[in-house]
Every structure is written in C-alpha cells, then in structure tokens.
Amino acid sequence: DCPIFLKLFCPPLLSKRPIGEAIFNLNNLEFNLNNDQLSKVELNSQKYGYLGPIQINYDQTIKLTFLDYLSKGMQINLDIAIDYTASNNENPISLHNISQRSQNDYEKAIYSCGSILAFYDYDKLFPVYGFGGIPQGPGNPSNLVSHCFNINFQNDPNLKGIDNILATYRQSLGKVTLAGPTFFTPVVDKVIGEIKYDLENNQEENHYYVLLRLTD
C-alpha cells in the first residue's frame, strides 16, 4: 500500500523539472498481473497534462518469517546440555538440590523451554548431555571429568518426552560427581556432528536446531 513516486527526466533537455510523474503502489500492479494484463502506470506532466502509460515489470520475493516455516512443517530439533560443575554447590542451597515439593532451577528451565519447543518436534526424542562432571560406573573406570556425556548412561542420548528428561536428570544426580572446569566446546562439537549427519542423511526434511545449554 505504500505510495511509490515515479519521476521521468530527459537529460538532453538539461531541465531539473521532470517531464512526467506518477504515483502508484504495488497493490495496483498485483491486481493487473493477476488478471493477465500488462502492469501500466499513467504518466502525467504538470506542463503537458496526460502523457500516457508506462509499463512496469517487477518480480516479487516473499520473505518468510520463522512462524511461516513452522506452519509449513519445519521440525525443531532440541538438544539439552546440563552443567554438572562443582560451582553449582557454591550457593547456600545447591542448584542441583532435589526436592519432592518443588523443582530446582534446572528443572524449571528444562520444563519451561522444552515443553514449548517439543510441540514442534514430531518424534519428541531429545538428546540430553551433561558436562563438567565425573560420571560414575563402568563407562568411566578412571573417574575422569567428562565434558560431554549422556545423562541416561546409554549409547543413545535420546530421551522420549520432557517428563522423561526430568526424571532421568534426577536419577543422574546420584551417578555423577560434580567437578569442573566448565568447557562448552565438546557439547557444541557433538551437536554440530549430529547436525551434519542429519543434513547428509535426511535431506528431504526441514529442521531447525536448538541447543539449550543450562549452566550456573
């Protein structure tokens, strides 16, 4: 609907005044194009009056919003990474404190963000990693700090649904010693590897990737 001002000059006349002018908008042109007619703008002159039509040719490019992509079926892939470093215990109450009466801040963040993004994920499978802690068990006999481990302690990091993520997170706290330091790169590299694999093997699908990294 925005008005477009068109002015036509004739350089050989050495005149600063346009020989013709027109005001139009793209809606006028779209109407003509939809009716298989030439899009024309009527040119007028302050001195000579009506001069005649000028044909306008143009291409239209539609810029889609993020919501447009979602409405057309794009899937959101959500990865979650949780901080298991010892600095979480530096508060009066540990940020990983588990209570039967309420959720801690990590659980609140997982639920608040995850439940929204999960709506746009068709299989509701979410890889969940931990970093900065020492996973206990046969998978880590040397008790070394891991900066990217599956919090379900399985080969497959995927967890089904947000409620399952919250339950698995609570169970993991009894199997991980909080340590450090805080390194983000291993988790980021892991997610980038997943994305590259999906792009190579699922080219017919449209995905948007989100890494929800929760840290103190």
Side-chain angles (χ1 to χ4, degrees), residues 17 20 26-27 29 38 80 93 96 105 109 111 120 122 138 150 156 192 202 204:
R17 178 181 296 179
L26 291 183
N27 272 336
L29 301 184
L38 292 177
I80 299 175
I93 299 178
H96 285 302
D105 286 344
Y111 181 81
Y120 301 100
Y122 70 97
N150 304 342
D156 185 355
I192 289 175
N202 299 308
E204 72 282 356

Side-chain angles (χ1 to χ4, degrees), residues 66-209:
F66 188 63
L67 291 178
D68 292 327
Y69 280 103
L70 292 177
S71 67
K72 294 177 183 297
M74 183 179 69
Q75 297 294 318
I76 285 184
N77 284 24
L78 171 64
D79 290 49
I80 299 175
I82 302 173
D83 184 349
Y84 287 82
T85 57
S87 56
N88 285 279
N89 284 338
E90 293 177 357
N91 297 277
I93 299 178
S94 171
L95 294 175
H96 285 302
N97 181 61
I98 294 299
S99 170
Q100 299 302 320
R101 292 177 296 177
S102 62
Q103 294 179 329
N104 64 32
D105 286 344
Y106 281 99
E107 292 174 303
K108 291 176 182 177
I110 292 171
Y111 181 81
S112 297
C113 299
S115 58
I116 294 173
L117 295 175
F119 183 80
Y120 301 100
D121 190 300
Y122 70 97
D123 60 6
K124 304 296 186 291
L125 288 174
F126 309 104
V128 185
Y129 306 104
F131 61 92
I134 303 175
Q136 306 297 322
N140 187 22
S142 301
N143 287 332
L144 298 176
V145 175
S146 174
H147 301 290
C148 184
F149 59 90
N150 304 342
I151 72 166
N152 61 357
F153 301 97
Q154 305 295 320
N155 292 330
D156 185 355
N158 284 290
L159 297 173
K160 182 78 172 182
I162 300 302
D163 290 339
N164 192 27
I165 293 175
L166 294 173
T168 304
Y169 159 71
R170 287 201 164 204
Q171 295 169 6
S172 73
L173 293 174
K175 303 176 183 179
V176 179
T177 301
L178 303 186
T182 304
F183 291 144
F184 294 142
T185 303
V187 169
V188 174
D189 288 342
K190 178 73 173 181
V191 175
I192 289 175
E194 294 176 6
I195 295 172
K196 289 182 177 179
Y197 179 85
D198 280 349
L199 292 176
E200 293 172 358
N201 295 275
N202 299 308
Q203 296 182 2
E204 72 282 356
E205 297 181 0
N206 225 345
H207 291 268
Y208 186 88
Y209 298 86

Side-chain angles (χ1 to χ4, degrees), residues 15-30:
S15 173
K16 295 182 179 180
R17 178 181 296 179
I19 61 173
E21 298 177 288
I23 300 177
F24 64 100
N25 62 50
L26 291 183
N27 272 336
N28 302 139
L29 301 184
E30 288 173 356

